[in-house]
Amino acid sequence: MVQAIRNFDEGLRKGLGIVIRCEPCNSRVIYRCIDFQGFIAPGADIEALNWRCSGCRARAVYIRYTLLGDFERESLAQWKAPPTMRRAL
């Protein structure tokens, strides 16, 4: 049985990725959780956050954690914070 991930900190500790799928343009992007370390609160629920598609800027409705296997590491997207966004200390 698969155990649900309770918060962002748990996903980060387990080395998971975040899948964001956009319904309007049907794009799928996978980011590493560690890319968001310091920008997402440790106790946050990622599904409750406001995610946008990097292509069409529509609000994404499918946000889930995923295991990062060797076959998916090549297709990972790298997230970089916008210049105006500062890392929380």
Side-chain angles (χ1 to χ4, degrees):
M1 186 165 137
V2 177
Q3 179 182 357
I5 305 299
R6 293 182 292 273
N7 55 34
F8 178 71
D9 191 43
E10 186 176 350
L12 189 63
R13 277 193 324 264
K14 292 185 178 189
L16 300 177
I18 299 174
V19 176
I20 301 169
R21 191 172 66 210
C22 178
E23 293 294 328
C25 70
N26 201 24
S27 68
R28 179 177 173 258
V29 179
I30 303 172
Y31 296 106
R32 297 179 313 154
C33 282
I34 198 154
D35 290 345
F36 298 101
Q37 186 176 21
F39 295 100
I40 296 178
D45 176 17
I46 62 164
E47 294 177 26
L49 299 175
N50 187 15
W51 295 88
R52 298 255 174 215
C53 174
S54 59
C56 70
R57 302 303 299 160
R59 188 164 194 254
V61 293
Y62 182 87
I63 299 99
R64 301 287 187 272
Y65 289 105
T66 185
L67 293 172
L68 296 176
D70 292 335
F71 58 93
E72 287 189 346
R73 293 206 184 265
E74 293 180 4
S75 64
L76 287 176
Q78 185 176 7
W79 182 81
K80 291 189 178 191
T84 58
M85 187 178 280
R86 302 240 186 256
R87 186 179 291 267
L89 298 175

